[in-house]
Structure formats: C-alpha cells, structure tokens
Amino acid sequence: MSQGANSAVPEVVPTAPESAVPAEAAASVQATPPRRPRLGLQLAAIWVIVGLLLAGLVVAGVALYRALYSPAAFVERYVGMLADGRAADALLVPGVAIDTAQLEDAGLPTSASDALLRHVALAPISDIEIVSETSEGEITEVVVSYSAGGFPAKSTFAVESNGFIGVLPSWRFAKSPLAVIDLTVRGSMRFEVNGFELDKRQVSPDGVEAAPLDAVPLLVFSPGLYGVAVDTSISETPGVNVLADAPQAYVPVDLQAEPTDEFVGVVQRKVEEFLTNCTTEQVLLPTGCPFGYYVQNRIDEPPTWTITRQPAVQVAPDGADWKIPPTDAVAHIEVDIRSLFDGKVSHVSEDVPFTVEGVIKVLPDGTASISVGGETSP
C-alpha cells in the first residue's frame, strides 16, 4: 500500500528525567577534584601543626626547667641571694644551715660563731654564671663562676633531690655551703670584717674570759669575700682579704696589728712625762727610774737632774700586747761631790746616757697600761 502525502507519522519526543543536568554543568562536575585527597592534606597539615606545637612546648618546658627548676637554677638563686645581700633568705635555702654534728663530721670547730651570717658582713658578688652541671648517681655537681669584690672565682656545689612541690622538682645542698674562718688577731681585741665591727669576747666561746691570742672560729657563706682589718685608736692593719670559695672549707687567718701613729704619740708623751718626773727627785738614784749616778764619795748638796735627750720611742707587737724596745736617751746631772779623803768639793756636770724600755698592757676597757724601765749605760 502506497503511503500518501496526508499520512501522519507520529512524532517521538524524548522525555528527560527530572534530575537531568545541563551539559555545561555536567562537564563542571566532572572537572571537580575528588574530596578525599584534599581532606588528607588538611589532616596532614593539622598533624604537622600539632607536632610543632608539641615540640615548642617541650622546648619551652626544658628551657623553663633549666631556668627555674634545675639544680643549676637552684644554685644560681642561692648565689644571687648573697649578691643581693639577702643573708637571712640564703640561710633558709635547704641544706645551707649547719649544726654542730655536721661541723664535727666535717672536722670544723663546733663552737664557730654565726655572727658573720648577716647582711652587713657580706661583700659584693657579681657576674654570676653557671659553668657546668654534672650528675653522678643522686648527686649533681654545679660549678658557678662569679666576681667577688672584683676577683674572678669559681665554686663547686653538691646538690641532691629534696622531693617535689606538686609536680615540680625541689633541691637541697647535699653539703652545706657554709665555711669557717679561724681568725687570730694579734694586738687588738677588736676587729672588722667587711666593715662590720666585732670584739673577740663577743664571738669567742669563752666570752669575756677569751684570751687575746686565742683564735675565734667564724661561720661564713661560700662564695664570699671577707676583708679582715683592725682600725682602732691603738692599732691598725692594712687588712687581708679571705675568699671562701668552697663548701665547709677551713680557712686559718693570722693578722698582726701595728700601732697607730696616735698610739705611738701617746706612749711617747707618757714616757717623756715619766722621765721628767724622775728628774724631780734630788737623789743620785731616782726611785724606779732608768738612770742614776754612782759615786763613792759624799754629795755636798742634792743633785739636779734634767733630760737633755728624750728617747725616740717605738712601739712593737709583743704577743697580745705591746712593748717599747730598748731606746737610747740622755740625762744630765749637776752635783757637788765632797771627797772623803781630803774633804775637797768638786762640781760634777755630766751627761748620763741610759736606755728606756717598757711593757704596754691593753686593758679590757681598751685603755693601755705603760710600765717603763731601763738602765744607765756603762
């Protein structure tokens, strides 16, 4: 059968699903990278950041430990207290205070005085720096350098654990850093340490019964520089510096004081007064005086004495006291002598050389007792 022109052919229209996506959008969706790889990179970046933060915390924690909570920091704080003059605080640091049993075990005098463990007896310390920190077993040795009164020095301290305060470590000195200066001062009961004045009778275990030449043991901080000197109206010294740079060290110091110019001047005047007083006795042998005139005849009139040359007095140390070494002087006598043989009178006008010496005792109240002697020169 032939198909005519008017025959209708059904039109087929494709029906698109409701979710259909335009071609351009479909292409765009296909070009977007998968989400899973991007998430992995983000997680990796987060872990890197977390790792860096943890590393920073560890580094900061180590730095904080070294600066504040390590044995080195413990020692540095103690030395810093001494540098600041905080003697009372330094004594409270664990392991610093020492008792008689520890002194005895260390071979130190158990009667050592604590008079110098105070602010006024401390000398300046500066340039404090930790040199090393070495642990062996339960003991850590810390070496610290510093400048004491301008002198560079080092000290080594033994530190041990003192438990914890919460989660923070605590430390103490395994060996007390205190030391002992065993001080003998000749020629004075009074002396100064870094300008702090003391009397032997204040710090001696014998108190007011202390012998002038007895040594007095004194506890001191280490590290510390201690300048010992005498500066009284009677005696003085240029002083000596003692560096206590080791824990429980024993440092003997023997200091000889010298007479002051003022003291020598006083002794000179007293000797001159004594000799002048001797000349008032109109006898050939003045009582207790270092000069006289010997004759075998009889004097016709009482003699007259004068001192033509006074001695140039010197004062020298003599143990705990002082002495006047033998010194030359000259007296002059005027006297008429009657001969026992023929009764003739002869006038004598003669210089009489003699020597003067003496002993000077320093009394408990600080005054001096001068005893003068001597003899006529041949």
Short mmCIF file of all heavy atoms in Angstrom, two decimals, residues 23 52 63 67 75 92 103 122 126 149 171 177 193 195 217 223 232 246 253 260 280 284 289 331 340 356:
data_model
loop_
_atom_site.label_atom_id
_atom_site.label_comp_id
_atom_site.label_asym_id
_atom_site.label_seq_id
_atom_site.Cartn_x
_atom_site.Cartn_y
_atom_site.Cartn_z
N ALA A 23 24.41 20.10 30.02
CA ALA A 23 25.72 19.58 29.58
C ALA A 23 26.86 20.37 30.20
O ALA A 23 27.87 19.80 30.59
CB ALA A 23 25.77 19.64 28.04
N LEU A 52 54.47 20.58 65.73
CA LEU A 52 55.29 21.76 66.01
C LEU A 52 54.94 22.37 67.36
O LEU A 52 55.82 22.81 68.11
CB LEU A 52 55.11 22.80 64.89
CG LEU A 52 55.70 22.42 63.53
CD1 LEU A 52 55.33 23.46 62.48
CD2 LEU A 52 57.23 22.29 63.63
N ALA A 63 63.48 24.58 78.67
CA ALA A 63 64.07 25.88 78.98
C ALA A 63 63.59 26.37 80.35
O ALA A 63 64.37 26.91 81.14
CB ALA A 63 63.72 26.90 77.89
N ALA A 67 65.85 27.00 83.63
CA ALA A 67 65.90 28.35 84.17
C ALA A 67 65.38 28.44 85.60
O ALA A 67 65.85 29.27 86.38
CB ALA A 67 65.10 29.31 83.27
N VAL A 75 71.23 26.57 92.51
CA VAL A 75 72.49 27.16 92.96
C VAL A 75 72.56 28.64 92.56
O VAL A 75 73.00 29.49 93.35
CB VAL A 75 73.68 26.39 92.37
CG1 VAL A 75 75.00 27.12 92.63
CG2 VAL A 75 73.74 24.98 92.96
N LEU A 92 67.90 30.17 104.75
CA LEU A 92 66.70 29.34 104.70
C LEU A 92 66.69 28.39 103.52
O LEU A 92 65.82 27.52 103.43
CB LEU A 92 65.45 30.23 104.65
CG LEU A 92 65.19 31.10 105.89
CD1 LEU A 92 63.96 31.98 105.67
CD2 LEU A 92 65.02 30.24 107.14
N LEU A 103 79.24 20.01 111.69
CA LEU A 103 80.54 20.66 111.82
C LEU A 103 81.60 19.66 112.30
O LEU A 103 82.72 19.62 111.78
CB LEU A 103 80.44 21.83 112.81
CG LEU A 103 79.70 23.07 112.33
CD1 LEU A 103 79.47 24.04 113.48
CD2 LEU A 103 80.49 23.78 111.22
N LEU A 122 78.39 40.94 104.37
CA LEU A 122 78.56 40.41 103.02
C LEU A 122 79.24 41.44 102.11
O LEU A 122 78.95 42.63 102.19
CB LEU A 122 77.20 40.03 102.42
CG LEU A 122 76.47 38.85 103.07
CD1 LEU A 122 75.13 38.63 102.39
CD2 LEU A 122 77.31 37.59 103.02
N SER A 126 79.17 39.60 91.86
CA SER A 126 78.57 39.96 90.57
C SER A 126 79.00 38.96 89.51
O SER A 126 79.76 38.03 89.76
CB SER A 126 78.99 41.38 90.18
OG SER A 126 80.40 41.47 90.07
N GLY A 149 84.16 40.97 94.90
CA GLY A 149 84.98 42.14 95.17
C GLY A 149 85.95 42.45 94.04
O GLY A 149 87.03 42.99 94.28
N TRP A 171 65.11 20.94 95.34
CA TRP A 171 66.51 20.57 95.54
C TRP A 171 67.01 21.08 96.88
O TRP A 171 66.43 21.98 97.49
CB TRP A 171 67.37 21.14 94.41
CG TRP A 171 66.90 20.73 93.05
CD1 TRP A 171 66.11 21.47 92.20
CD2 TRP A 171 67.14 19.49 92.39
NE1 TRP A 171 65.86 20.76 91.05
CE2 TRP A 171 66.49 19.53 91.15
CE3 TRP A 171 67.86 18.35 92.73
CZ2 TRP A 171 66.51 18.48 90.24
CZ3 TRP A 171 67.90 17.29 91.83
CH2 TRP A 171 67.23 17.37 90.60
N PRO A 177 76.97 24.84 102.10
CA PRO A 177 77.97 25.73 101.50
C PRO A 177 78.65 26.66 102.51
O PRO A 177 79.47 27.49 102.11
CB PRO A 177 77.13 26.53 100.50
CG PRO A 177 75.77 26.56 101.09
CD PRO A 177 75.59 25.25 101.79
N VAL A 193 85.18 42.93 109.96
CA VAL A 193 85.05 42.03 108.81
C VAL A 193 84.09 42.70 107.83
O VAL A 193 82.92 42.90 108.14
CB VAL A 193 84.53 40.65 109.21
CG1 VAL A 193 84.39 39.76 107.98
CG2 VAL A 193 85.46 40.00 110.23
N GLY A 195 83.91 45.70 107.23
CA GLY A 195 83.41 46.91 107.87
C GLY A 195 82.50 46.66 109.06
O GLY A 195 82.12 47.61 109.76
N PRO A 217 86.70 31.03 115.77
CA PRO A 217 86.14 30.45 114.55
C PRO A 217 84.84 31.15 114.18
O PRO A 217 83.96 31.36 115.02
CB PRO A 217 85.90 28.99 114.93
CG PRO A 217 85.72 29.00 116.42
CD PRO A 217 86.50 30.17 116.95
N PRO A 223 79.87 31.16 98.17
CA PRO A 223 81.04 32.00 97.98
C PRO A 223 80.92 33.32 98.73
O PRO A 223 79.83 33.83 98.96
CB PRO A 223 81.05 32.23 96.47
CG PRO A 223 79.61 32.22 96.09
CD PRO A 223 78.98 31.19 96.98
N THR A 232 91.52 50.75 115.19
CA THR A 232 91.19 51.34 116.48
C THR A 232 92.15 52.49 116.75
O THR A 232 93.08 52.74 115.98
CB THR A 232 91.30 50.30 117.62
OG1 THR A 232 92.68 49.97 117.83
CG2 THR A 232 90.53 49.02 117.27
N ALA A 246 84.73 27.45 98.82
CA ALA A 246 84.43 26.03 98.84
C ALA A 246 83.55 25.69 100.04
O ALA A 246 83.80 26.19 101.14
CB ALA A 246 85.71 25.21 98.87
N VAL A 253 93.37 32.30 109.51
CA VAL A 253 93.86 33.65 109.22
C VAL A 253 94.55 34.19 110.47
O VAL A 253 93.98 34.18 111.56
CB VAL A 253 92.71 34.59 108.81
CG1 VAL A 253 93.26 36.00 108.55
CG2 VAL A 253 92.00 34.08 107.57
N THR A 260 99.12 52.49 115.93
CA THR A 260 98.80 53.69 115.16
C THR A 260 99.77 54.81 115.54
O THR A 260 100.39 54.79 116.61
CB THR A 260 97.36 54.15 115.45
OG1 THR A 260 97.25 54.49 116.84
CG2 THR A 260 96.37 53.05 115.12
N THR A 280 112.64 65.21 139.10
CA THR A 280 112.27 65.99 140.29
C THR A 280 112.84 65.39 141.56
O THR A 280 112.81 66.05 142.62
CB THR A 280 110.73 66.09 140.40
OG1 THR A 280 110.19 64.77 140.61
CG2 THR A 280 110.13 66.70 139.14
N LEU A 284 120.79 60.67 143.86
CA LEU A 284 121.65 60.14 142.82
C LEU A 284 120.98 59.02 142.03
O LEU A 284 121.26 58.85 140.83
CB LEU A 284 122.96 59.62 143.43
CG LEU A 284 123.89 60.68 144.02
CD1 LEU A 284 125.07 60.01 144.72
CD2 LEU A 284 124.39 61.64 142.94
N CYS A 289 113.54 54.72 138.33
CA CYS A 289 113.86 55.42 137.09
C CYS A 289 115.02 54.72 136.38
O CYS A 289 115.85 54.07 137.02
CB CYS A 289 114.22 56.87 137.39
SG CYS A 289 112.82 57.78 138.10
N ALA A 331 120.35 61.77 130.20
CA ALA A 331 120.03 62.67 131.31
C ALA A 331 121.27 63.49 131.64
O ALA A 331 122.40 63.15 131.24
CB ALA A 331 119.57 61.87 132.51
N LEU A 340 135.87 62.12 150.45
CA LEU A 340 136.02 61.55 151.79
C LEU A 340 137.49 61.50 152.21
O LEU A 340 137.81 61.38 153.41
CB LEU A 340 135.45 60.12 151.82
CG LEU A 340 133.94 59.99 151.60
CD1 LEU A 340 133.52 58.52 151.57
CD2 LEU A 340 133.17 60.73 152.69
N VAL A 356 115.88 53.19 127.66
CA VAL A 356 114.49 53.07 128.13
C VAL A 356 113.84 51.90 127.41
O VAL A 356 114.02 51.72 126.20
CB VAL A 356 113.70 54.36 127.84
CG1 VAL A 356 112.23 54.18 128.19
CG2 VAL A 356 114.27 55.51 128.61
#
